[in-house]
């Protein structure tokens, strides 16, 4: 079995999140926003065996909380305290991926690995820069060599890097399917 990859396409909008768009409308045109059902489906699938890689458009809101202000990345959309999505934070907590990639802040940034509440492994968040960015530090491609969760030993999963931190996102209780 290979890597388990979950993705959430689109951005969070409270107006669209709780609304149920009829399938015929969703299939007829690309929707730039995700809905609550999309997130629930991903959490349910992740409960079946974990997520190695989570791909989202948005960063999770709260990524900045373990930094002092001089260490913050220069995100492009909003001030750090407003950047990112609270739903993506909740999704990252609920799915506990090994790697989480996102791109809408238009800057390359790696958080220190953070510990998850309900699983042994850490999550590594990588924010990606824009494609074609002339600043070589703003990477838009990232290579990794990841062993699937399903093939990792208990010791490998429980290995904590020395620089690991608490989860940066506000904890919100998320019902994990049993």
């Amino acid at each position: 079995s290979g890597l388990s990859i979950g993705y959430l396409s689109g951005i969070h909008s409270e107006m669209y999140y709780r609304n149920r768009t009829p399938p015929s409308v969703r299939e007829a045109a690309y929707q730039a926003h995700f809905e609550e059902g999309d997130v629930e489906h991903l959490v349910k699938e992740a409960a079946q065996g974990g997520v190695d890689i989570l791909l989202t458009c948005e960063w999770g809101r709260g990524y900045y909380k373990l930094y002092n202000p001089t260490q913050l990345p220069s995100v492009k959309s909003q001030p750090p305290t407003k950047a990112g999505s609270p739903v993506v934070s909740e999704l990252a907590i609920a799915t506990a991926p090994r790697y989480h990639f996102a791109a809408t802040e238009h800057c390359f940034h790696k958080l220190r690995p953070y510990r998850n509440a309900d699983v042994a492994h850490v999550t590594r968040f990588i924010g990606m820069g824009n494609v074609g960015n002339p600043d070589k530090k703003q990477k838009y491609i990232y290579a990794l060599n990841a062993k699937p969760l399903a093939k990792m030993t208990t010791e490998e999963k429980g290995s904590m890097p020395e620089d690991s931190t608490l989860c940066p996102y506000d904890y919100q209780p998320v019902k994990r399917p049993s």
Side-chain angles (χ1 to χ4, degrees):
S1 108
L3 291 171
S4 170
I5 300 175
Y7 70 94
L8 183 64
S9 180
I11 58 174
H12 176 249
S13 165
E14 197 58 44
M15 182 173 85
Y16 292 103
Y17 187 65
R18 302 249 184 249
N19 294 331
R20 304 281 186 210
T21 306
S24 59
V25 174
R26 287 192 85 174
E27 293 166 8
Y30 170 73
Q31 223 177 280
H33 303 92
F34 56 81
E35 296 178 0
E36 187 174 27
D38 301 324
V39 174
E40 290 169 350
H41 177 77
L42 187 51
V43 170
K44 183 178 177 183
E45 289 296 315
Q48 302 302 315
V51 174
D52 292 303
I53 299 172
L54 176 63
L55 305 171
T56 61
C57 292
E58 295 177 292
W59 293 26
R61 179 152 314 149
Y63 69 87
Y64 59 88
K65 290 183 178 179
L66 299 176
Y67 287 95
N68 81 41
T70 62
Q71 297 173 310
L72 289 171
S74 56
V75 298
K76 308 296 186 214
S77 70
Q78 301 180 48
T81 55
K82 301 282 187 201
S85 163
V87 174
V88 172
S89 298
E90 186 175 335
L91 179 64
I93 290 168
T95 59
R98 289 194 46 230
Y99 293 89
H100 177 188
F101 291 91
T104 54
E105 296 305 328
H106 312 296
C107 71
F108 178 78
H109 186 71
K110 291 178 11 177
L111 291 179
R112 291 183 298 177
Y114 65 83
R115 297 183 291 275
N116 295 289
D118 296 335
V119 295
H121 64 269
V122 295
T123 294
R124 289 171 170 81
F125 173 83
I126 298 120
M128 303 303 294
N130 284 345
V131 173
N133 191 322
D135 183 351
K136 299 288 184 209
K137 292 179 183 176
Q138 295 302 314
K139 299 175 187 177
Y140 58 88
I141 193 165
Y142 189 84
L144 65 108
N145 184 5
K147 186 174 186 179
L149 268 172
K151 294 185 177 182
M152 292 176 72
T153 65
T154 304
E155 292 78 29
E156 288 173 320
K157 289 177 186 176
S159 174
M160 289 285 161
E162 287 184 24
D163 64 340
S164 64
T165 67
L166 298 172
C167 179
Y169 306 124
D170 285 334
Y171 177 76
Q172 299 175 21
V174 176
K175 281 194 158 186
R176 291 186 114 161
S178 36

